[in-house]
Amino acid sequence: MTPDVQTAPPQALAPAAGPLGALRAREVLVDGAWRPATLVLAEGRVAAIEPYDAEPYDAAPAGTWTVPDGHVVLPGVVDSHVHVNEPGRTSWEGFASATRAAARGGVTTIVDMPLNSIPPTTTVAGLEAKRAAAVAAGLGVDVALWGGAVPGNVGELAGLWDAGVMGFKCFLSPSGVPEFGHLEDDAQLDEHLTEIARLRALMVVHAEDPAELEAAAHGPSRSYQDFLASRPDSAETAAIARLIDAVRRTGARAHLLHLSSARALDLIADARAEGLPLTVETCHHYLCFAAETIPDAAPQLKCCPPIRSEANRDLLWQALADGVIDCVVSDHSPSTAEEKQRGDGDLQAAWGGISGLEVGSVALADEARRRGVDLADVSRWTSAATARLVGLDDRGDLPAKGRIAVGSAADLVVYDPEARVVVDQELLAHRNPISAYHGRAIRGAVTTTVLGGRVLDLEAPAGGELLTRP
């Protein structure tokens, strides 16, 4: 049977957009375990978890919805690595389009990176400009913000931290945009990490080594293998080794962004065994694609660091199972069609970034099923672990995100494991219709997204909030 061409199945079986008093389903992922349950929702929280057939909630003031059998209920995804690019490069991606894409993909919270917006979020003034742009655009889901660590701004970090950013991002190699410089040597890295340690904050790190990249540089080419050779494993391993040494010297907490090379796994495992405060993420696309199947002149599949071999992909999956990698994110990094197609197929010239916010999590769940990995594990990597990374799992008097438990945020996803979808990039909600997943047949789809106890209209989600660090 040919799957339907669609990206977000209609909510025909769901209640209308608006408040929901209770939700019952045969399979609910409650604190990491599957069980039949009725979730009673009030004031944006899961107020109670009752047996499936709890009768009193049939008359809940805002209504009780019985989820169709065969559908499952998960906590909303927390995507801690998203580039929105507004203000300044809103033509690449804006808050309205990004949060609409998020809602359709079951992502109820995003954490926005401090680039590629102009100004970048490297000063309190830049942070305020970003927040103002987000409010003006309107938010379909909740949004938190990272700050940036660049040469010369170490004195800004405390102000950004006090203003509520979730942590700080730095690059160890050129970022690709001139207004966000990279930390060029150990002195700059140590200076920033020392301040991060003093603040008891978190540094998230793009770890590629510029000397290794320079040594592997390649001229114009449409060949994916040439592009892959220009971003070698050694660029990641050298930068990660450098970061581990800096963490050891300063005691700062650090997080490795978008790990693509399995050759770094032993370095990471040894550092963690040593007790160093290091966490690691990988991305949907590194787990769903392999270099052997990527055609030449396909810039929609270009990202930095790159998608590597099938054998490498298998090792990343194993590292997730072993706990060496903590979480999985989209690294949604869109651009205009002009930037993505710059060079007419020359992969050295095209913008490097993959737009995976809407379909990445469902593609990951489908790939996990093929590998015999339970959906509960996928949820742990994309919701619980990411919420914990940025401190949204423990928010004091505010409801925790990333899990379903009494008192947690009523951020929920109803997922149909048997839905058949073929991704059509023209139907995706992010601003520019370019997708690495275009044409991919996926089994499983988000049918309903609930944010703070409200069913979202997936065509026009609204009511998202700006979050600050607890």
Side-chain angles (χ1 to χ4, degrees):
M1 181 179 70
T2 302
D4 294 333
V5 177
Q6 55 183 349
T7 59
Q11 292 183 280
L13 298 176
L20 188 63
L23 177 152
R24 60 160 59 95
R26 297 286 181 187
E27 291 188 89
V28 182
L29 190 62
V30 177
D31 261 342
W34 296 108
R35 56 180 276 196
T38 297
L39 306 179
V40 184
L41 312 180
E43 299 181 348
R45 303 172 185 256
V46 177
I49 300 177
E50 302 287 353
Y52 175 84
D53 56 358
E55 294 299 330
Y57 299 103
D58 287 342
T64 297
W65 178 40
T66 300
V67 172
D69 287 351
H71 292 54
V72 304
V73 179
L74 303 159
V77 171
V78 177
D79 193 337
S80 57
H81 194 152
V82 176
H83 295 266
V84 175
N85 308 333
E86 187 174 12
R89 290 191 177 94
T90 309
S91 61
W92 294 25
E93 186 72 284
F95 282 103
S97 52
T99 56
R100 179 171 174 244
R104 291 174 62 170
V107 180
T108 51
T109 304
I110 65 172
V111 190
D112 174 59
M113 285 293 170
L115 74 165
N116 302 300
S117 55
I118 302 173
T121 316
T122 54
T123 65
V124 173
L127 174 65
E128 292 307 316
K130 176 69 72 95
R131 286 176 170 162
V135 171
L139 302 178
V141 301
D142 289 347
V143 176
L145 303 171
W146 293 106
V150 298
N153 89 323
V154 70
E156 297 280 351
L157 301 187
L160 284 163
W161 185 242
D162 290 343
V165 299
M166 312 309 282
F168 302 91
K169 178 178 185 176
C170 73
F171 279 74
L172 301 185
S173 59
S175 71
V177 292
E179 66 277 359
F180 199 97
H182 69 287
L183 303 183
E184 297 178 5
D185 54 36
D186 287 347
Q188 288 184 354
L189 180 58
D190 283 5
E191 180 186 29
H192 283 79
L193 285 179
T194 297
E195 179 67 350
I196 294 291
R198 186 187 74 81
L199 295 172
R200 300 179 68 185
L202 171 67
M203 182 77 93
V204 303
V205 182
H206 181 123
E208 288 183 288
D209 183 80
E212 293 290 333
L213 294 176
E214 180 64 27
H218 198 287
S221 175
R222 297 164 64 88
S223 164
Y224 186 78
Q225 290 304 316
D226 286 348
F227 168 65
L228 186 59
S230 75
R231 314 291 296 206
D233 295 87
S234 60
E236 285 191 82
T237 56
I240 290 169
R242 177 184 165 203
L243 175 64
I244 289 170
D245 285 344
V247 168
R248 188 180 290 115
R249 288 191 300 269
T250 64
R253 187 162 67 101
H255 176 75
L256 277 170
L257 298 169
H258 46 52
L259 179 71
S260 85
S261 175
R263 294 188 186 178
L265 291 171
D266 287 344
L267 276 172
I268 293 164
D270 289 346
R272 288 160 69 110
E274 185 182 333
L276 295 180
L278 181 71
T279 51
V280 186
E281 72 185 30
T282 191
C283 299
H284 308 134
H285 41 273
Y286 299 135
L287 299 167
C288 290
F289 297 100
E292 291 88 340
T293 60
I294 295 178
D296 293 339
Q300 70 274 17
L301 283 153
K302 176 187 174 180
C303 56
C304 301
I307 296 166
R308 303 191 189 274
S309 69
E310 181 68 50
N312 183 90
R313 177 167 72 145
D314 291 342
L315 290 171
L316 294 179
W317 275 99
Q318 187 60 52
L320 277 164
D322 294 342
V324 178
I325 298 174
D326 301 275
C327 52
V328 186
V329 298
S330 68
D331 188 9
H332 179 71
S333 186
S335 71
T336 61
E338 291 76 16
E339 287 292 321
K340 203 62 173 154
Q341 295 163 1
R342 188 174 56 203
D344 190 27
D346 175 8
L347 297 179
Q348 302 299 325
W351 175 259
I354 285 178
S355 300
L357 184 55
E358 182 170 338
V359 296
S361 291
V362 290
L364 178 70
D366 183 37
E367 182 65 29
R369 182 209 300 258
R370 292 192 188 106
R371 293 170 177 265
V373 176
D374 193 86
L375 187 59
D377 292 322
V378 175
S379 179
R380 176 163 50 85
W381 298 328
T382 60
S383 298
T386 45
R388 184 166 57 251
L389 173 72
V390 296
L392 292 175
D393 65 325
D394 184 1
R395 305 172 67 203
D397 292 336
L398 297 173
K401 291 179 175 282
R403 69 181 190 271
I404 299 173
V406 174
S408 67
D411 296 351
L412 309 169
V413 174
V414 179
Y415 175 80
D416 179 0
E418 301 306 322
R420 304 282 179 155
V421 174
V422 174
V423 178
D424 181 346
Q425 63 191 12
E426 296 294 332
L427 301 178
L428 296 173
H430 64 259
R431 185 173 293 274
N432 291 280
I434 303 165
S435 175
Y437 298 91
H438 179 63
R440 187 181 181 96
I442 296 175
R443 183 178 170 193
V446 171
T447 61
T448 307
T449 302
V450 179
L451 177 69
R454 293 174 295 104
V455 175
L456 296 180
D457 176 352
L458 295 185
E459 293 307 311
E465 298 180 352
L466 274 176
L467 308 177
T468 58
R469 179 177 50 82

